[in-house]
Amino acid sequence: MYALKNKSILSMAIAMAVSTSAYASDKEIEEVTVTAKPTSYASNVIEPAMMEQQSAVSSVLSVIDNLPGISINEGDAFGGDDWSTTITMRGFSIDGNQQQLGMTIDGIPNGGSNYGGGAKANRYLDSENLATVEVGQGTSNIGSASLEALGGTFNFVSKEPSTEKSTTFAYTTGDHNASRFFIKQETGTIFNNTQAYVSYSQTDTSRWIGDGSNGGKDNQHIEAKFVSDFDKLTVTGRISYDDVSETNYNSVSVEQFEQNPDWDHLTWNWTGVPHFDQMFAEGWGTHRENTLGYIKFEYALSPTALLTINPYYHKNSGRGDWIPPYLASPVDSNGNPTKEGGSNAGSYGFTDGQGNPLTPDANCTETLSWPWDSGTGLNPACYPDSATPVMSYRHTHYKKDRLGVLANYAATFGMHDIEAGFWFERSDRDKSRDWHKVIDARVYHHFDSTPYWVQFNNTFEMDTFKWYVQDSITYKDFTLNLGAKQYLVELDKTDHFVASNSNKVNSDSDVLFSVGGLYQLNNDTELFASFSENFSAIKDGILETGGSVLDNIEPETAENIDFGVRYKADRLSLTATAYSITFDNRITFIAPGSSTDGIDYTIGTDGSYINVGGIESQGIELSASYMLTNEWNIYTSYTNNSSEYASNDPASYDSKGVLLTDEQGNSASPSFKKGDTVIDAPSDMFVVSTDYYSGDFRFGISAKYTGEREGAFLDEQTRARSKADGYTVIDINAGYAAQVDAGPFKSIDIAFAVTNVTDKRYLAGGTGNGSTYYIGGPRTAALTFTANF
């Protein structure tokens, strides 16, 4: 059994790492080498130094930012806002509009990374309990459980319980009112065969933009894990609970950033004027609860065969908030007032003393231009002094329950390593939206707990089944991997207000093939090549919109080709990968009136999803790690990526490439054409970092350059585009760790981390449309004291 465990996904990924170092007890950097089954596709794992570069308050997502091909951007240095989190890899993205990369926790699917009902790894795992992150660039392990892995996967691996009993307490304080308490109890070995731990953390931060009532993050997190060995059977169980409330960051245009690089156009003082107060930061909120648990059974059928069965359950619930500067007037299909369903017949921003809607003075032409021009309807100057401003508090409710099982059989028969298995999941997701009247908009955004309108209420049921099989054939120095997999996905929507809007769609893939080869050139060098077909099922969000024609929508697919070389000697490790990706049937959302300025708070289930062609990407990824001495290591990585659209945008151009026009003769907005560079995809990224250990002291510095990114198209004739400038961010970290064995203390650790040391102002992740970006976080410091008992 233990021989088979050395061929687990984790050990395979570690074996493919550029290098993996740990802080050894003799205060030197210890090289860790793991012998494992060869991997014929590009893959990486993080180095321990990458975790030390981040503070304890930071999210687990931030630790993979220095790996080749990857860009992680969060609203601040502490990952305090999921709304503004963006991830890109090889031209594929996770942002507010796209989910094209898979994510798992100990191999368990995360349930999607989208804002509305999804949850990224930071909802399941505290940084103190993170063992490593396995990254499959372009191609994932064939058994990876994800419906979004077009461009690769991230598997976040939790730490194993210790065989030694201990208690850990840590406290962190930092800029922007950051504070964090963490406590963990390790049981050590109990019952002669079991190890376990339980941990709890409380994290609080404030938004770095603004002052006073500018919102922030309030997060409670609990984890527990056990491992029990029963001769041939190993049982692993884990559960996590996360309860978070976050105030969002807002995206800004390039012009707005150049005007003021320290402001995201959210406010922190209540004015009593709804047109301004719709941008009040604390009214932009994310509230989420996530519980994820699994029990994994690993049974050694023989010394060369292992059966793994892993059932899991996930419960997600939450709410997203906005504060529209008006009250809506909902009506049913017959034009009669309603409190459920229907549509908005009109909005009003002021009422008389009896609550009757008012219209602006016909002679008033003044408008308020910030944050956008809303006409005379929201300008107090166009109403009598006795008029009362009104506004809404809009809640979008999310709820999801997932029950699933993973099963895998792995066996060795001579020169064949056989792997076969399946993934099944039943997911039930509810999404509804209700509007609440703000009690007195002149005072604050306190709202009536009873909604005046429930705009929609939908339920989505999704059944997912995936089967896979792979044979790894090894003959002398050559290994050939042959694999096949298929996804069978059934999705049903129930509209609780309008039965005729209920719908269903089957989103089955073809049989997807993968083939790879690895040749061991000598003891230090290996060559690899791989081809894989990737798939992303039609998501339930597409069924939310009434305008999508399901018969015309195809699932997204991608074909990935890798060629590479790996070299590992005593002190030097190198990897080089060249890749080519063809991404077909890309799906995008077309919002009604999407060319207008401002937020359409009533968009509801209008709009439509369409396929808009594909993307072709080519690039290279280089990384190197060199041990200068036993105490001093240097790491570097470089990525060059070219991603281009493979066809014209069908929402803007006809078959001849001419802009479409509507019935009134208005032309569509300029958009991408075949050969144009993909929005928000940096062409160059370069990382260099160094870490030094001397006695009980450690120090590290890292720098990352992200190149210029192309944005939205501004003019059809000139094909001019907005651009986000390239930027370099420098981080430092230092620490002191010592064994004290004094009284109750076993050891102490003091860690200090500063991100963006030069206080660089830059535009970080985009929103996917190329028009707006989130502002990168400023210089941020945090200090952590840890004691082990």
Side-chain angles (χ1 to χ4, degrees):
M1 174 179 176
Y2 295 106
L4 281 167
K5 275 193 169 182
N6 285 339
K7 292 185 176 183
S8 69
I9 297 174
L10 174 58
S11 62
M12 282 186 277
I14 294 176
M16 294 301 103
V18 176
S19 69
T20 302
S21 57
Y23 186 45
S25 58
D26 62 354
K27 308 307 181 294
E28 293 183 350
I29 301 177
E30 176 187 2
E31 283 293 307
V32 180
T33 302
V34 180
T35 302
K37 184 171 67 177
T39 304
S40 59
Y41 56 86
S43 63
N44 284 277
V45 297
I46 61 170
E47 298 187 2
M50 293 178 181
M51 290 190 278
E52 293 174 350
Q53 290 165 5
Q54 308 297 325
S55 74
V57 188
S58 301
S59 83
V60 294
L61 300 175
S62 62
V63 301
I64 59 177
D65 189 46
N66 282 353
L67 291 177
I70 300 171
S71 177
I72 307 291
N73 285 291
E74 301 172 279
D76 57 36
F78 300 136
D81 173 37
D82 185 66
W83 172 262
S84 57
T85 296
T86 63
I87 303 173
T88 63
M89 182 167 69
R90 291 188 174 184
F92 292 90
S93 299
I94 295 175
D95 56 36
N97 293 321
Q98 306 165 105
Q99 293 81 48
Q100 299 162 344
L101 299 166
M103 194 172 290
T104 58
I105 296 84
D106 290 343
I108 303 298
N110 68 329
S113 298
N114 60 312
Y115 174 81
K120 302 177 184 66
N122 55 312
R123 304 297 196 207
Y124 305 111
L125 192 60
D126 266 342
S127 57
E128 293 90 346
N129 292 326
L130 176 66
T132 190
V133 185
E134 306 163 354
V135 180
Q137 281 110 321
T139 301
S140 61
N141 176 272
I142 194 167
S144 181
S146 176
L147 287 175
E148 300 174 341
L150 286 166
T153 56
F154 308 100
N155 183 36
F156 291 77
V157 181
S158 63
K159 286 182 177 178
E160 295 292 285
S162 173
T163 57
E164 299 295 326
K165 182 178 180 180
S166 66
T167 301
T168 300
F169 174 80
Y171 173 70
T172 302
T173 183
D175 289 332
H176 317 303
N177 302 311
S179 68
R180 174 181 173 86
F181 297 90
F182 174 83
I183 188 168
K184 180 177 181 179
Q185 179 63 49
E186 294 268 12
T187 65
T189 300
I190 55 177
F191 311 122
N192 295 321
N193 68 341
T194 300
Q195 299 83 39
Y197 65 73
V198 61
S199 68
Y200 170 82
S201 67
Q202 169 68 49
T203 304
D204 296 278
T205 64
S206 294
R207 274 176 25 104
W208 67 267
I209 300 175
D211 198 4
S213 296
N214 66 331
K217 175 180 179 178
D218 180 357
N219 187 196
Q220 291 190 77
H221 186 90
I222 302 172
E223 292 181 43
K225 185 175 183 178
F226 75 87
V227 178
S228 297
D229 287 311
F230 303 93
D231 192 18
K232 296 181 179 181
L233 175 66
T234 298
V235 181
T236 302
R238 183 179 183 273
I239 188 169
S240 64
Y241 170 77
D242 188 88
D243 183 3
V244 65
S245 177
E246 297 170 343
T247 303
N248 304 148
Y249 289 93
N250 185 30
S251 59
V252 299
S253 67
V254 173
E255 293 75 18
Q256 289 172 329
F257 174 77
E258 291 174 347
Q259 185 181 46
N260 188 340
D262 295 310
W263 186 33
D264 66 351
H265 284 242
L266 296 187
T267 64
W268 46 93
N269 292 308
W270 191 262
T271 68
V273 179
H275 176 81
F276 298 139
D277 292 334
Q278 64 180 313
M279 307 300 289
F280 188 67
E282 291 187 351
W284 292 44
T286 298
H287 312 275
R288 295 289 189 275
E289 285 187 69
N290 280 279
T291 302
L292 175 65
Y294 70 80
I295 297 180
K296 180 170 65 174
F297 302 91
E298 297 173 284
Y299 184 72
L301 300 172
S302 72
T304 59
L306 179 68
L307 177 65
T308 303
I309 299 176
N310 195 350
Y312 64 90
Y313 174 72
H314 173 217
K315 183 177 182 63
N316 168 292
S317 62
R319 197 182 83 202
D321 295 349
W322 258 344
I323 43 176
Y326 51 73
L327 294 179
S329 301
V331 295
D332 61 21
S333 57
N334 296 318
N336 298 316
T338 184
K339 291 187 176 181
E340 291 186 344
S343 59
N344 180 29
S347 305
Y348 56 95
F350 291 84
T351 64
D352 61 20
Q354 287 71 46
N356 299 310
L358 296 176
T359 58
D361 189 324
N363 296 319
C364 182
T365 59
E366 298 178 18
T367 63
L368 302 175
S369 60
W370 183 89
W372 43 75
D373 193 331
S374 57
T376 59
L378 296 179
N379 187 1
C382 295
Y383 295 87
D385 292 341
S386 59
T388 301
V390 294
M391 62 190 311
S392 303
Y393 211 109
R394 201 199 75 174
H395 298 163
T396 304
H397 299 272
Y398 306 99
K399 182 180 179 181
K400 179 185 285 187
D401 290 276
R402 297 188 298 128
L403 183 64
V405 61
L406 301 164
N408 184 78
Y409 170 76
T412 299
F413 301 97
M415 61 193 294
H416 297 269
D417 287 327
I418 303 295
E419 186 175 358
F422 69 86
W423 165 41
F424 174 77
E425 179 181 287
R426 160 59 68 92
S427 172
D428 294 319
R429 183 174 79 92
D430 296 327
K431 182 178 179 180
S432 63
R433 177 171 295 162
D434 49 44
W435 294 62
H436 300 252
K437 183 182 185 298
V438 170
I439 296 172
D440 191 340
R442 297 167 297 186
V443 178
Y444 203 57
H445 58 63
H446 300 301
F447 57 88
D448 189 331
S449 60
T450 301
Y452 71 84
W453 183 27
V454 180
Q455 188 175 358
F456 58 82
N457 185 6
N458 298 321
T459 296
F460 304 89
E461 296 180 355
M462 177 181 281
D463 288 338
T464 301
F465 181 80
K466 172 190 175 181
W467 63 264
Y468 61 91
V469 61
Q470 180 174 270
D471 185 9
S472 296
I473 308 166
T474 301
Y475 178 73
K476 295 185 178 179
D477 293 327
F478 180 72
T479 299
L480 176 66
N481 296 320
L482 301 172
K485 61 186 177 182
Q486 186 179 28
Y487 295 86
L488 306 173
V489 183
E490 183 174 309
L491 176 60
D492 289 87
K493 169 193 173 182
T494 300
D495 188 317
H496 296 285
F497 293 158
V498 183
S500 61
N501 287 341
S502 298
N503 211 334
K504 67 178 182 179
V505 62
N506 290 333
S507 181
D508 299 342
S509 74
D510 297 330
V511 176
L512 307 172
F513 296 100
S514 60
V515 58
L518 186 144
Y519 179 68
Q520 194 72 37
L521 193 62
N522 53 48
N523 291 335
D524 301 324
T525 308
E526 60 186 22
L527 309 176
F528 65 91
S530 68
F531 167 81
S532 68
E533 297 177 314
N534 300 333
F535 171 83
S536 178
I538 294 176
K539 301 176 179 64
D540 56 14
I542 293 175
L543 269 67
E544 292 180 7
T545 62
S548 300
V549 181
L550 296 178
D551 292 341
N552 297 336
I553 299 178
E554 296 290 334
E556 297 173 315
T557 61
E559 294 183 350
N560 184 87
I561 299 174
D562 282 348
F563 293 95
V565 58
R566 302 183 183 101
Y567 172 84
K568 184 171 179 59
D570 291 338
R571 291 187 173 273
L572 176 64
S573 298
L574 301 170
T575 65
T577 304
Y579 61 86
S580 177
I581 304 170
T582 301
F583 174 19
D584 291 323
N585 302 326
R586 189 171 66 95
I587 297 174
T588 192
F589 177 67
I590 306 299
S594 58
S595 61
T596 62
D597 293 330
I599 298 173
D600 183 359
Y601 297 102
T602 63
I603 192 171
T605 57
D606 296 331
S608 62
Y609 285 88
I610 63 171
N611 292 111
V612 291
I615 292 174
E616 296 178 349
S617 299
Q618 296 83 34
I620 58 171
E621 295 167 343
L622 309 174
S623 59
S625 182
Y626 182 63
M627 301 287 297
L628 293 171
T629 68
N630 290 339
E631 297 84 17
W632 191 3
N633 173 262
I634 293 178
Y635 169 86
T636 185
S637 69
Y638 172 72
T639 302
N640 178 266
N641 177 77
S642 174
S643 296
E644 297 180 349
Y645 294 106
S647 61
N648 298 344
D649 183 356
S652 292
Y653 301 99
D654 62 17
S655 59
K656 297 180 179 180
V658 179
L659 276 177
L660 298 172
T661 57
D662 59 21
E663 295 178 355
Q664 289 74 38
N666 299 314
S667 296
S669 299
S671 186
F672 62 83
K673 288 187 173 182
K674 182 178 180 179
D676 286 331
T677 301
V678 170
I679 286 173
D680 292 347
S683 58
D684 295 285
M685 290 186 290
F686 177 67
V687 173
V688 60
S689 66
T690 184
D691 296 278
Y692 180 75
Y693 297 83
S694 177
D696 297 326
F697 177 76
R698 63 184 184 272
F699 175 80
I701 183 170
S702 68
K704 179 172 184 176
Y705 167 77
T706 300
E708 179 184 79
R709 290 147 294 156
E710 298 280 1
F713 292 83
L714 305 176
D715 182 83
E716 178 63 19
Q717 299 302 318
T718 64
R719 302 296 293 166
R721 304 178 65 172
S722 65
K723 298 180 187 292
D725 292 337
Y727 59 92
T728 300
V729 174
I730 301 173
D731 304 331
I732 63 171
N733 67 91
Y736 176 83
Q739 303 292 325
V740 291
D741 293 325
F745 293 99
K746 295 180 179 179
S747 64
I748 61 170
D749 185 277
I750 300 173
F752 179 64
V754 183
T755 59
N756 194 2
V757 173
T758 62
D759 207 22
K760 174 72 174 178
R761 292 294 186 266
Y762 62 96
L763 289 172
T767 54
N769 59 18
S771 298
T772 59
Y773 302 82
Y774 297 100
I775 302 175
R779 178 172 53 236
T780 304
L783 179 67
T784 300
F785 174 80
T786 303
N788 291 299
F789 303 89

